[in-house]
Amino acid sequence: LAHRVCTLRPRAVVICADEVGSSRRMCSAYLQHRGVTGHVVCDFQAAYEFAIRRRPTIATAIHSFPEMPIGRIRAWVRMLGGCEIGWLFLVPNEPGVLDSTEPDGTRMAFGEVMGDAGYMLRTTGWKYPLADKDPHSIRLVYQDQYLLYEWRPGGIDPGP
């Protein structure tokens, strides 16, 4: 995603944050290989420090929250809201399922975490919108659901 954003907007500044060191190294190597500039690959603490200084407009969490324990998801979402990041683009692993993965393998719903941090769901979309028209085609593609949340101070939702 960082490669695509920086290709479309060469002056964009992209923060690639991940708690897994090997993921950060792979991301950094890939972006270097593609000649991408204007990015920062870092951990949670560095992402927070960067976001406080730069005030990003949007954050993305693509297939990452469902791989994390709910406490870590809560920390990330609170950090985003604390930095007043206005939009969060979220892609869960399974359409319609907002579940964490706990260290013991159990799953916990994290939908309420979003609202608790002031993020309100504004719109949803599908990777393959036409796949839903034919129930048999859903088996032929990996369907993703896109969720766009808007941050509101204090979690107050004044409506669209």
Side-chain angles (χ1 to χ4, degrees):
L1 181 61
H3 169 248
R4 291 177 181 169
V5 169
C6 291
T7 299
L8 290 171
R9 304 281 308 219
R11 294 179 54 190
V13 176
V14 177
I15 305 169
C16 304
D18 200 312
E19 289 301 297
V20 180
S22 58
S23 294
R24 286 194 305 270
R25 287 187 296 278
M26 186 174 10
C27 178
S28 191
Y30 175 79
L31 293 173
Q32 183 179 5
H33 169 74
R34 301 292 275 180
V36 175
T37 60
H39 69 279
V40 175
V41 178
C42 59
D43 63 9
F44 180 84
Q45 184 61 39
Y48 172 74
E49 292 167 6
F50 190 89
I52 286 292
R53 288 191 318 272
R54 298 295 296 265
R55 299 287 186 201
T57 305
I58 187 168
T60 63
I62 300 172
H63 299 294
S64 57
F65 281 6
E67 305 299 321
M68 300 164 63
I70 197 162
R72 215 59 202 140
I73 296 168
R74 185 176 289 111
W76 271 102
V77 177
R78 285 182 179 166
M79 184 270 289
L80 297 173
C83 293
E84 300 180 359
I85 297 174
W87 298 95
L88 173 57
F89 179 72
L90 175 65
V91 181
N93 286 353
E94 300 174 49
V97 179
L98 297 179
D99 286 348
S100 69
T101 300
E102 300 305 307
D104 65 1
T106 60
R107 314 274 293 170
M108 293 182 65
F110 67 81
E112 288 185 18
V113 169
M114 308 302 287
D116 292 346
Y119 282 95
M120 305 298 156
L121 184 63
R122 282 292 168 226
T123 191
T124 64
W126 297 98
K127 183 175 185 178
Y128 300 107
L130 298 179
D132 293 335
K133 307 291 183 207
D134 176 6
H136 301 289
S137 71
I138 197 71
R139 287 183 255 135
L140 302 176
V141 298
Y142 182 81
Q143 182 68 291
D144 276 329
Q145 183 180 26
Y146 301 141
L147 308 172
L148 184 63
Y149 289 85
E150 183 179 17
W151 179 77
R152 294 289 183 174
I156 299 168
D157 183 12

